[in-house]
Amino acid sequence: MTHNQLTVIDAHCHIYPEKIAAKAVAGTDRFYGTVAAGAGTVDDLLLMGHAAGIDRYVVHSVATTPKQVESINEFIAAAVAEHPDRFIGLGALHPDCPDMAAEVQRIRRLGLRGVKLHPDIQDFPCDDPRCHTIYSLCEQEGLPILMHTGDKRYDNSNPNRLLPVLRAYPGLTVVGAHLGGYSVWEQAVELLAGMPNLYVDCSSCFWKLSPEEARQYIRAYGADRVLFGSDYPMWNVGRELAFLQDLDLTEEELRGILSLNAEKVFLGL
């Protein structure tokens, strides 16, 4: 299915096993003070996405402890195997994994196309020395990292923390979620726009930004550096897509944001 003849990839979707989905979604709601629009399950994502006209989804989850890494990656890989034409999977890592190289190789063997990190929920500064092994291995393996970035309540993933990582690992592709800085968007643009190894997604931004601000920030990074993402299950996928399409962007800009940039980052196309 396409939206106005444009292929649409939702490049930021959290999914959970059925038995823990309600608990996981409730935990995220408590962390952000939100009320989720979705249930966090594979079936619910596909149902909501189909109604919105989504073609493919980048799916992932966050490991809050090292012990969760293996089971999360197996779950994401199984979801991709069940829906190979719909799902692009990312692996989970944690800075305290006892054998990081083995976990990265497991991600490779499972056919996952990158790594998801959330420094705020995982409780580590993204420029912490413990993370250097993650960044070095992902750089070597050509695995992009989708990283939660920004939160004015904390200082784990804000632009000042991300910038030295981008400079230290120029061969590492990072997708800075939430336009590079959730709730600190202006600072993020000032520090990060123009970094050659950075892309951003627009997830969890439209609830707060005006159309004029959203368009300004997207163009500051460059539409060829922005990916559409809904942050499912937090927000309604269709509403997020409609907001983006109402920003008076050009068809070329939309084509990149809706699919081409995600294909480049996660599929190497």
Side-chain angles (χ1 to χ4, degrees), residues 11-210:
H12 194 130
C13 301
H14 299 260
I15 57 170
Y16 311 100
E18 294 268 355
K19 64 181 181 180
I20 67 165
K23 181 179 179 180
V25 172
T28 302
D29 280 347
R30 286 192 300 271
F31 191 84
Y32 286 107
T34 54
V35 177
T41 63
V42 168
D43 288 346
D44 185 65
L45 171 60
L46 290 171
L47 184 65
M48 187 182 293
H50 178 76
I54 307 297
D55 296 283
R56 302 192 74 178
Y57 312 80
V58 178
V59 294
H60 47 77
S61 191
V62 175
T64 57
T65 70
K67 291 181 180 180
Q68 294 176 346
V69 168
E70 182 177 350
S71 61
I72 287 174
N73 292 340
E74 295 286 352
F75 166 70
I76 296 295
V80 173
E82 188 173 356
H83 303 281
D85 297 330
R86 291 286 183 264
F87 286 172
I88 300 163
L90 305 184
L93 289 175
H94 191 283
D96 296 327
C97 287
D99 191 342
M100 194 70 71
E103 295 298 345
V104 170
Q105 288 306 310
R106 188 199 313 275
I107 286 170
R108 273 291 190 205
R109 289 197 304 274
L110 289 171
L112 303 177
R113 306 306 296 248
V115 168
K116 167 67 176 181
L117 296 176
H118 196 310
D120 293 341
I121 287 179
Q122 294 177 289
D123 194 24
F124 65 87
C126 67
D127 58 350
D128 190 303
R130 292 181 299 157
C131 300
H132 292 337
T133 302
I134 295 176
Y135 302 144
S136 179
L137 288 169
C138 287
E139 184 180 47
Q140 292 172 25
E141 293 293 332
L143 289 170
I145 295 177
L146 172 59
M147 185 184 298
H148 169 94
T149 48
D151 195 319
K152 62 185 178 182
R153 301 174 299 171
Y154 309 104
D155 189 25
N156 286 328
S157 63
N158 285 334
N160 58 295
R161 296 283 191 184
L162 179 58
L163 186 59
V165 174
L166 296 171
R167 288 173 171 165
Y169 299 92
L172 173 67
T173 297
V174 175
V175 179
H178 324 309
L179 289 174
Y182 175 83
S183 75
V184 291
W185 292 288
E186 187 171 350
Q187 179 190 6
V189 167
E190 289 175 356
L191 289 182
L192 302 177
M195 291 301 295
N197 53 338
L198 176 70
Y199 289 78
V200 297
D201 74 32
C202 60
S203 66
S204 283
C205 295
F206 298 153
W207 69 276
K208 181 67 172 178
L209 299 179
S210 69

Side-chain angles (χ1 to χ4, degrees), residues 177-248:
H178 324 309
L179 289 174
Y182 175 83
S183 75
V184 291
W185 292 288
E186 187 171 350
Q187 179 190 6
V189 167
E190 289 175 356
L191 289 182
L192 302 177
M195 291 301 295
N197 53 338
L198 176 70
Y199 289 78
V200 297
D201 74 32
C202 60
S203 66
S204 283
C205 295
F206 298 153
W207 69 276
K208 181 67 172 178
L209 299 179
S210 69
E212 293 75 20
E213 290 171 324
R215 185 167 53 248
Q216 173 190 341
Y217 295 150
I218 286 170
R219 286 179 168 161
Y221 287 110
D224 61 336
R225 290 275 158 176
V226 180
L227 287 64
F228 170 68
S230 69
D231 213 353
Y232 172 89
M234 286 186 69
W235 311 106
N236 181 283
V237 177
R239 291 177 185 172
E240 296 298 292
L241 181 58
F243 186 101
L244 177 68
Q245 290 223 308
D246 286 342
L247 291 181
D248 293 326

